């Protein structure tokens, strides 16, 4: 009887120890799984943070590139001061450009304008390259023979002073700058008078 009781206790102890051992192993297994799961969670958080940081860096780089591109773009400012006057001046500058060819002088009956071989007109935009002065002309007048260089140098372009040596003559035209003067009665090609330094100063259409 005592031996049967001891055997029964040994069997119970053995089963109890085995159950404890299995429980400990299961607990360790569960604990290890939890640790692995925890490690995975931490790794996922680290990767997520790294991805977010990388996206932030990409956004920062993109912003820098956009700002650099913007700074390189020329800023076009539309001037508020643009006015019809400036447009007219621009159009006037573009209109300049037509010159007489050849350049003609003529009497008061000769039409004035842009002279060509076909349209023979006396130039009314003459300029002297010697004194850099506009050539004035007066219809139905001629210069007195006593005119000299000093007279025109001191009196051009004041008509009131020039009249002292202007003679009335129908059909004639008196030309003068500050260094040269001519009285013309008929159409004359300027190239035939080599002493004159007059050129066409270009016409506005």
């Amino acid at each position: 009887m005592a031996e049967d009781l001891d055997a029964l206790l040994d069997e119970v102890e053995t089963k109890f120890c085995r159950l404890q051992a299995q429980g400990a192993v299961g607990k360790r297994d569960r604990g290890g799984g939890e640790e692995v799961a925890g490690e995975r969670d931490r790794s996922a958080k680290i990767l997520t943070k790294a991805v977010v940081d990388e996206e932030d860096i990409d956004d920062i780089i993109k912003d820098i590139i956009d700002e650099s591109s913007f700074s390189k773009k020329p800023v076009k400012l539309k001037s508020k001061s643009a006015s019809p006057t400036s447009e007219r001046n621009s159009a006037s500058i573009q209109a300049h450009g037509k010159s007489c060819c050849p350049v003609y002088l003529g009497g008061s009956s000769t039409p004035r304008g842009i002279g060509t071989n076909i349209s023979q007109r006396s130039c009314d935009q003459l300029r002297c390259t010697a004194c850099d002065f506009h050539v004035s002309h007066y219809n139905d007048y001629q210069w007195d023979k006593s005119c000299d260089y000093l007279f025109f140098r001191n009196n051009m372009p004041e008509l009131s002073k020039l009249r002292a040596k202007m003679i009335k003559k129908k059909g004639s035209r008196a030309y003068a700058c500050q260094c040269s003067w001519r009285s013309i009665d008929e159409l004359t090609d300027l190239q035939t008078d080599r002493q004159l330094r007059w050129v066409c100063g270009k016409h506005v259409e």
Side-chain angles (χ1 to χ4, degrees):
M1 184 68 178
E3 293 177 359
D4 292 337
L5 184 59
D6 290 336
L8 180 61
L9 290 173
D10 291 338
E11 184 178 354
V12 171
E13 186 179 356
T14 301
K15 288 182 179 180
F16 181 75
C17 290
R18 187 182 299 114
L19 289 174
Q20 281 186 341
Q22 290 177 355
V25 171
K27 187 176 181 180
R28 284 196 300 270
D29 292 341
R30 288 195 297 275
E34 291 175 357
E35 290 178 0
V36 172
E39 290 294 335
R40 284 200 299 269
D41 290 340
R42 286 194 293 273
S43 299
K45 289 180 180 179
I46 293 171
L47 289 173
T48 302
K49 185 177 180 181
V51 171
V52 172
D53 292 341
E54 186 176 355
E55 290 178 354
D56 292 340
I57 293 173
D58 291 339
D59 292 339
I60 293 171
I61 293 173
K62 185 178 179 181
D63 292 339
I64 293 173
I65 293 174
D66 292 340
E67 290 177 1
S68 299
S69 300
F70 177 78
S71 63
K72 290 180 181 179
K73 290 181 181 179
V75 179
K76 294 182 180 180
L77 298 176
K78 186 175 181 181
S79 175
K80 294 183 180 180
S81 61
S83 62
T85 302
S86 62
E87 293 178 1
R88 284 196 300 271
N89 291 338
S90 177
S92 177
I93 292 172
Q94 292 178 357
H96 281 74
K98 287 197 173 183
S99 301
C100 296
C101 185
V103 181
Y104 291 108
L105 305 178
S108 60
S109 60
T110 304
R112 295 174 296 174
I114 301 174
T116 65
N117 288 323
I118 297 174
S119 178
Q120 297 180 338
R121 297 174 178 269
S122 61
C123 181
D124 56 357
Q125 296 296 327
L126 293 170
R127 177 166 291 277
C128 180
T129 60
C131 64
D132 194 26
F133 205 80
H134 177 73
V135 178
S136 300
H137 54 272
Y138 307 97
N139 288 334
D140 296 326
Y141 282 97
Q142 67 178 10
W143 299 114
D144 187 81
K145 292 182 180 180
S146 63
C147 289
D148 57 14
Y149 171 80
L150 289 177
F151 172 76
F152 291 102
R153 182 68 179 178
N154 295 328
N155 298 321
M156 282 292 295
E158 297 181 30
L159 180 60
S160 59
K161 295 181 179 181
L162 293 173
R163 286 184 181 278
K165 293 193 175 184
M166 293 174 67
I167 300 173
K168 189 76 173 177
K169 183 181 180 182
K170 185 70 173 177
S172 184
R173 182 176 289 158
Y175 291 86
C177 62
Q178 279 193 327
C179 63
S180 302
W181 62 98
R182 291 291 185 275
S183 298
I184 305 296
D185 295 323
E186 58 185 15
L187 189 70
T188 304
D189 190 337
L190 185 59
Q191 290 183 347
T192 60
D193 193 338
R194 299 188 178 278
Q195 292 182 347
L196 290 176
R197 302 281 300 278
W198 296 348
V199 297
C200 175
K202 297 184 180 181
H203 297 257
V204 178
E205 293 182 336

